[in-house]
Amino acid sequence: MKLWKDFSNGIIKENPTFRLVLGTCPTMAVTTAVFNGLGMGIAVIAVLICSNLIISLINKIVPNEVRIPIYVVVIATFVSAVEMLIKAFSPALDSALGIFIPLIVVNCIILARAESFASKNPPLNSIMDGLGMGVGFTLALVFMSGVRELLGAGTFLNMPIFGAGFEPALILILPPGGFLVYGLAIALFNKLIVKKA
Amino acid sequence: MKLIIIVLSAIFVNNFVLSRFLGICPFLGVSKKVETALGMGIAVTFVMALASVMTWIVQIAILVPLKIEYMQTIAFILVIAGLVQFVEMVMKKTSPTLYQALGVYLPLITTNCAVLGVAILNIESKFNIMETLLNGIGGALGFTLAIVLFAGIRERMELAPYPKSLEGFPIALITASLLSIAFLGFSGLL
C-alpha cells in the first residue's frame, strides 16, 4: 500500500509540472508536438527511476557535504546513457529534442526527488516515487503538447484532425504559446483538481 | 561583423528565456523585485561568461584529444558546479547584501539550464573562443534584460486585480507570454 501511495503521489497531489512547477524549461520547449512531449517524458522517466534507485542505494556511504555533486554525477551518467540510446534508436527524436536531452541533467525534478525523497527512503519506494513523478511529468507534457499541436498546427501525432478549412493558431507552437498554455494549464489544474482534494 | 551579430542575436532574436526556454526557473523564482532580479542577472552573466570559456577549453583540450566527447555532459556540469561554488564564495566576501538577497538561488545557478545550455550550444555551433565568450555574455545579457523587464511588470501587477485561480505562477506565465510576443518582434532584425 505504501508503494502505491509513493507512486500516485507524483501524478496528482504533487504533480511535478502543475503543482511543484519544476522542470519548466523542457515543459515549454519541447511541447510543440505530442511526439516530442512523449519522447521527453519517457526519457525523464528512465533517468528518474535509475537515479532514484542508485541514490537511495548509496545514500549511506555518501558524505553529507558533497552529496549534491555526487547526485549530479549520478544523474549525468544516466542522462548520457539515455542520450546515446536516443541517438542510436530514434534519430528523429534526437533532432527534435536537440540540446534538451543533455539538459535533462539540470531538470530540477530529478535533483529535487534525489534530495527530498531518494536520499531518505529505501530503494523500492524510491523507484516507485521516480516512476510516479516521471509519469506525472509525462502526462503533463502530453496534455500540453496535445493542446498546442491541436490548436497550433491542427494535427495530433502528425495526423491532421480538422478539415482543410481549419486555420491553425500558429502562435501556440511559437514560444509565447508555451508560456500561455502552461499558465492556463496550471490555473485549470488548481481550479478543477486541487479544490476537490 | 559576425561577432556583433552573435551578441545581438543572443540578446534579442534568440533571447535565452523568451524564445529558447533556457533558465526559466530563476526567471520565475527571482523576479518579484527589480533589484534582486538585477543581482541575479549579474551573477548569471558572470557565471555564464566564465562557464562558456571554461567548458570550451575543456572540450578542445581534454575531451576531443582523448576522444571522449560522450563525457561532455558530465564534464560540463562538473565545471559549472565548481564555478558556481567559486562565485558564491567571492560574493559572500565582497557583497554580503547581494549574497543574502540571492539566497538559495545562487547555488541553483548550477541547475540553471541557461548555463549548461550555452556551453552545449557553443560547441554545437562550432564557435571559436572569441565567439564563445561573446555568445555567453550576450546570452546572459539577454537573460538579465528579460528578468529585469519581467520583474518590473510583476511589481506593478501586485496591485492589479485578477481571478483567484490565476494567482501565483499562472498569471506570471501569462505575463511572460505577452513579453515573449513582444520579443517575437525582433525576429526580423537580423
Side-chain angles (χ1 to χ4, degrees):
Chain A
M1 248 1 257
K2 175 81 171 61
L3 287 179
W4 172 250
K5 223 180 123 209
D6 287 334
F7 171 72
S8 61
N9 185 34
I11 294 177
I12 291 181
K13 210 173 117 224
E14 286 192 14
N15 185 291
T17 311
F18 293 145
R19 291 295 294 153
L20 307 180
V21 195
L22 293 173
T24 44
C25 305
T27 307
M28 287 186 269
V30 305
T31 50
T32 50
V34 177
F35 176 70
N36 302 352
L38 197 60
M40 185 57 161
I42 292 168
V44 169
I45 293 179
V47 175
L48 203 46
I49 292 177
C50 299
S51 68
N52 261 9
L53 171 66
I54 298 297
I55 285 163
S56 148
L57 287 174
I58 62 172
N59 78 66
K60 288 214 174 58
I61 50 170
V62 171
N64 202 33
E65 295 79 22
V66 291
R67 65 184 195 286
I68 301 287
I70 291 178
Y71 295 167
V72 171
V73 173
V74 170
I75 295 168
T77 311
F78 287 116
V79 171
S80 303
V82 166
E83 190 182 353
M84 285 184 240
L85 285 173
I86 294 179
K87 275 209 172 85
F89 289 107
S90 178
L93 188 61
D94 178 59
S95 59
L97 297 182
I99 69 162
F100 282 94
I101 302 174
L103 286 183
I104 296 176
V105 180
V106 285
N107 186 325
C108 353
I109 298 173
I110 299 173
L111 196 59
R113 290 332 283 174
E115 172 75 3
S116 68
F117 195 94
S119 62
K120 297 178 192 124
N121 287 285
L124 205 55
N125 298 59
S126 301
I127 292 179
M128 292 311 280
D129 178 73
L131 186 63
M133 283 287 161
V135 170
F137 178 68
T138 309
L139 288 177
L141 286 193
V142 169
F143 173 74
M144 274 187 58
S145 50
V147 172
R148 289 181 72 187
E149 192 182 339
L150 205 58
L151 298 178
T155 58
F156 189 82
L157 281 169
N158 293 327
M159 286 177 297
I161 299 292
F162 304 114
F166 178 72
E167 192 74 50
L170 192 61
I171 193 84
L172 283 174
I173 50 172
L174 290 173
F179 287 106
L180 190 64
V181 173
Y182 193 20
L184 294 176
I186 299 178
L188 191 70
F189 195 85
N190 285 345
K191 180 98 186 155
L192 293 181
I193 296 169
V194 182
K195 291 283 156 59
K196 274 183 204 155
Chain B
M1 196 55 211
K2 196 181 169 216
L3 297 179
I4 299 174
I5 288 179
I6 287 178
V7 174
L8 284 181
S9 150
I11 299 181
F12 295 113
V13 182
N14 291 315
N15 186 285
F16 268 54
V17 179
L18 297 169
S19 79
R20 277 192 177 137
F21 295 118
L22 294 168
I24 302 285
C25 298
F27 179 69
L28 292 175
V30 206
S31 55
K32 290 225 170 75
K33 271 194 184 152
V34 172
E35 237 168 81
T36 35
L38 194 60
M40 185 71 185
I42 294 166
V44 167
T45 308
F46 192 57
V47 173
M48 249 165 96
L50 274 175
S52 295
V53 174
M54 294 286 287
T55 51
W56 189 86
I57 294 171
V58 167
Q59 172 83 11
I60 301 299
I62 302 175
L63 299 181
V64 172
L66 295 177
K67 293 199 172 57
I68 47 169
E69 287 97 334
Y70 58 85
M71 292 288 283
Q72 195 192 54
T73 313
I74 302 178
F76 282 14
I77 195 77
L78 284 177
V79 169
I80 292 168
L83 267 175
V84 171
Q85 196 82 52
F86 172 71
V87 171
E88 199 181 337
M89 288 190 305
V90 169
M91 199 175 266
K92 208 173 180 176
K93 276 270 184 291
T94 55
S95 168
T97 30
L98 192 56
Y99 179 78
Q100 284 275 316
L102 292 178
V104 65
Y105 284 98
L106 200 57
L108 281 185
I109 296 180
T110 312
T111 52
N112 180 341
C113 27
V115 182
L116 185 60
V118 78
I120 297 172
L121 281 174
N122 288 333
I123 304 298
E124 266 185 7
S125 323
K126 301 201 167 54
F127 282 158
N128 64 32
I129 185 133
M130 200 57 208
E131 293 164 341
T132 295
L133 177 65
L134 286 175
N135 193 33
I137 294 176
L141 288 179
F143 174 84
T144 312
L145 177 67
I147 196 172
V148 169
L149 284 175
F150 188 53
I153 299 175
R154 276 183 92 175
E155 276 188 357
R156 293 180 174 219
M157 298 260 301
E158 296 269 294
L159 303 169
Y162 42 77
K164 200 165 180 315
S165 310
L166 292 181
E167 256 169 40
F169 280 113
I171 194 73
L173 285 164
I174 292 166
T175 313
S177 164
L178 296 175
L179 198 55
S180 166
I181 292 180
F183 268 73
L184 269 189
F186 288 118
S187 59
L189 195 66
L190 296 177

